[in-house]
Amino acid sequence: MKRWFLLLFLLHCGAAAAWTLDAGDRTLHLSDYKGKWVLVNFWATWCPPCLEEIPALERLHSSGKIEVVGIAVSYEKKKEVLDFAKSHGITYPLVLGNEDTAAKFGGLDSLPTSFLYSPGRKTGGSTPGSAY
């Protein structure tokens, strides 16, 4: 039994797939964050738990301890997301995502969903629902 648990843990927390994301004015690569903790957060403007965690994510980003990348999904217009981000004071990098973007991370079961990467670029897994 312990071997199965260890195997599942190692598979789940192994080396992260190298991802590349289009952030509009620049391209983000996991390799850009070598030596840093990275939190990738999938969210939507209409999602109450997503909105509740934005201030905590912003504080985390501002602290410089963890790099935060927000990926907006399930939106109708780019302007809707950009206006929302501006009005909520989001300063961390944002990506306008879709199902293909979510697939790079293994898909989403719910929003918000966050993925944490260690400085060695290993994933600590994901957490559906609010990370805070």
Side-chain angles (χ1 to χ4, degrees):
M1 183 71 164
K2 288 181 182 180
R3 282 189 235 167
W4 282 107
F5 178 78
L6 180 61
L7 177 61
L8 289 173
F9 179 79
L10 291 174
L11 287 173
H12 187 67
C13 297
W19 45 256
T20 300
L21 301 170
D22 180 6
D25 59 341
R26 63 188 165 164
T27 302
L28 305 174
H29 307 270
L30 178 58
S31 61
D32 295 340
Y33 299 102
K34 187 176 181 180
K36 300 178 181 179
W37 285 93
V38 181
L39 181 74
V40 178
N41 177 257
F42 283 84
W43 64 284
T45 59
W46 51 262
C47 166
C50 300
L51 307 183
E52 289 174 14
E53 72 180 359
I54 288 173
L57 293 173
E58 187 58 41
R59 284 191 303 275
L60 196 59
H61 171 70
S62 297
S63 76
K65 294 178 182 176
I66 296 181
E67 299 291 330
V68 176
V69 176
I71 302 179
V73 293
S74 189
Y75 59 90
E76 291 187 23
K77 297 180 182 175
K78 176 180 176 179
K79 185 176 178 355
E80 165 193 349
V81 175
L82 299 178
D83 289 348
F84 180 91
K86 185 177 180 179
S87 71
H88 284 80
I90 296 174
T91 62
Y92 47 86
L94 287 179
V95 173
L96 299 174
N98 55 31
E99 288 181 14
D100 292 336
T101 311
K104 291 179 182 182
F105 293 82
L108 304 175
D109 292 327
S110 63
L111 290 174
T113 295
S114 295
F115 297 84
L116 182 64
Y117 297 89
S118 74
R121 292 185 281 179
K122 294 194 184 293
T123 180
S126 64
T127 179
S130 181
Y132 291 92

